[in-house]
Amino acid sequence: MATQDGNEEVVMETEATLKEPQPLCENVGKGNAEVSETVSRTDNAGESSSTQDPTVSNGDDSDEGKEMVDLKIIWNKNKYDLKIPLDGTGAKLKERIHSLTGLPPAMQKVMYKGLLPEDKTLREIKVTNGAKIMVVGSTINDVLAVNTPKEVIQQEVKAEENKKEPLCRQKQHRKVLDKGKPEDIMPSVKGTKERLPTVPLAGMYNKSGGKVRLTFKLEQDQLWIGTKERTEKIPMGSIKHVVTEPIEGHEDYHMMAFQLGPTEASQYWVYWVPVQFVDAIKDTVLGKWQYF
């Protein structure tokens, strides 16, 4: 019997060994069922980590449930589609542009009807669905190379201005100002600051007393100075300095000069600029660069 029992034990062990894979397959099926149960429970409770991965990929969790606006970002001849909360600020927009282009926020000049303010929401500045946002910017080394000489020139010009009598009293300007305010000049709004208008600023005089208009081509980063004879297309990066001064007796209008070269001889003068656009023009042409 011992021999038979031993044989029986061998047979039983062999059968057990052969049958071991079958429970494993059953366990696999059972495991799948358990995973399905887990997913099902997660759909109801929303707490399982196994269902979180698909929602993390686009990084837009914080935007869920918010009113969104679709924008066209244009930078360096490239176009990008961007969806962002309408109540996001200009600073937040710069961060999203950084993620698209790799251009650091501090090096961006973002344009939408003028220089885009960082502290206001897109809703406050009336950004609409499908709006085109122009971005101008380059590497920190390029910006420093271009703007360091410009800063020196600005300081020198400012020092010279402090030594002189008011510009509007100087003979070269009086001959233009004495013509009086143009009849077709754009109305001024004293005590306010407005963004650049969507139409050219027209009706002003240049130094020769002829009519002149200013058109800000933000998508090309150019200032167009137009007269009856021709239109000069000037890259904004080439403008070294902007001089402005209120006109005595008409403080709601300014006289303004764009310095196109290294000396004052290169200044292009424009008279009767409405005061509400003065800061927007300076910010758009020169930009508000921030350095690390």
Side-chain angles (χ1 to χ4, degrees):
M1 294 297 294
T3 304
Q4 291 177 354
D5 293 342
N7 291 336
E8 289 178 3
E9 290 177 1
V10 170
V11 171
M12 291 175 65
E13 290 176 1
T14 303
E15 290 177 352
T17 303
L18 293 173
K19 291 181 179 180
E20 281 181 1
Q22 184 174 350
L24 286 174
C25 295
E26 293 176 358
N27 286 340
V28 170
K30 184 178 179 182
N32 290 336
E34 289 176 352
V35 171
S36 299
E37 271 187 80
T38 302
V39 173
S40 177
R41 286 198 302 270
T42 303
D43 291 340
N44 295 329
E47 296 177 353
S48 174
S49 61
S50 62
T51 60
Q52 291 178 359
D53 292 341
T55 63
V56 178
S57 59
N58 58 12
D60 291 335
D61 294 333
S62 60
D63 296 342
E64 187 175 351
K66 297 181 180 179
E67 185 177 357
M68 308 294 286
V69 62
D70 290 311
L71 304 177
K72 296 286 186 183
I73 307 298
I74 302 175
W75 172 70
N76 201 22
K77 297 184 180 179
N78 296 317
K79 296 182 180 180
Y80 306 85
D81 293 324
L82 175 63
K83 180 174 286 189
I84 189 170
L86 190 57
D87 290 314
T89 62
K92 181 64 177 177
L93 175 60
K94 283 191 171 186
E95 292 177 7
R96 298 294 292 273
I97 292 174
H98 180 203
S99 66
L100 285 175
T101 65
L103 186 65
M107 304 310 300
Q108 298 174 20
K109 185 159 71 169
V110 182
M111 303 290 188
Y112 179 74
K113 297 180 181 179
L115 196 66
L116 188 106
E118 293 189 2
D119 56 342
K120 291 187 178 181
T121 66
L122 303 185
R123 188 189 300 276
E124 288 174 331
I125 59 179
K126 296 179 173 56
V127 173
T128 57
N129 210 41
K132 292 183 179 180
I133 306 295
M134 308 298 171
V135 181
V136 179
S138 55
T139 64
I140 181 64
N141 291 334
D142 291 340
V143 173
L144 289 175
V146 171
N147 285 276
T148 299
K150 183 184 292 187
E151 286 184 343
V152 174
I153 292 172
Q154 290 179 11
Q155 292 172 0
E156 293 175 351
V157 170
K158 189 172 182 179
E160 288 298 319
E161 288 174 354
N162 293 334
K163 298 177 184 178
K164 297 178 180 179
E165 63 179 335
L167 294 170
C168 59
R169 296 181 187 176
Q170 295 178 18
K171 184 177 179 181
Q172 59 175 328
H173 302 301
R174 280 260 52 103
K175 65 180 183 180
V176 179
L177 295 174
D178 286 345
K179 294 180 64 174
K181 184 169 66 174
E183 294 181 359
D184 57 344
I185 192 65
M186 185 175 291
S188 65
V189 183
K190 194 173 181 179
T192 64
K193 295 181 180 180
E194 296 184 11
R195 303 170 66 80
L196 289 177
T198 56
V199 297
L201 282 172
M204 300 168 291
Y205 290 139
N206 59 17
K207 198 170 182 179
S208 63
K211 288 296 183 69
V212 64
R213 65 185 177 277
L214 302 178
T215 306
F216 298 89
K217 293 290 185 178
L218 304 181
E219 68 277 8
Q220 301 174 34
D221 199 32
Q222 291 181 347
L223 168 62
W224 289 13
I225 302 178
T227 62
K228 185 179 180 180
E229 294 77 21
R230 64 177 182 271
T231 298
E232 298 286 346
K233 301 179 180 180
I234 303 169
M236 292 189 192
S238 68
I239 300 175
K240 308 300 182 184
H241 187 53
V242 177
V243 178
T244 65
E245 183 180 287
I247 299 173
E248 282 188 340
H250 300 275
E251 282 74 15
D252 49 343
Y253 289 92
H254 277 226
M255 49 191 295
M256 176 178 289
F258 301 98
Q259 186 167 325
L260 309 180
T263 66
E264 291 184 7
S266 65
Q267 290 177 340
Y268 188 98
W269 283 96
V270 178
Y271 303 86
W272 303 101
V273 179
V275 67
Q276 68 268 27
F277 299 123
V278 169
D279 285 343
I281 292 173
K282 293 176 69 176
D283 290 345
T284 300
V285 172
L286 298 176
K288 287 185 176 179
W289 298 106
Q290 303 173 21
Y291 299 96
F292 297 110

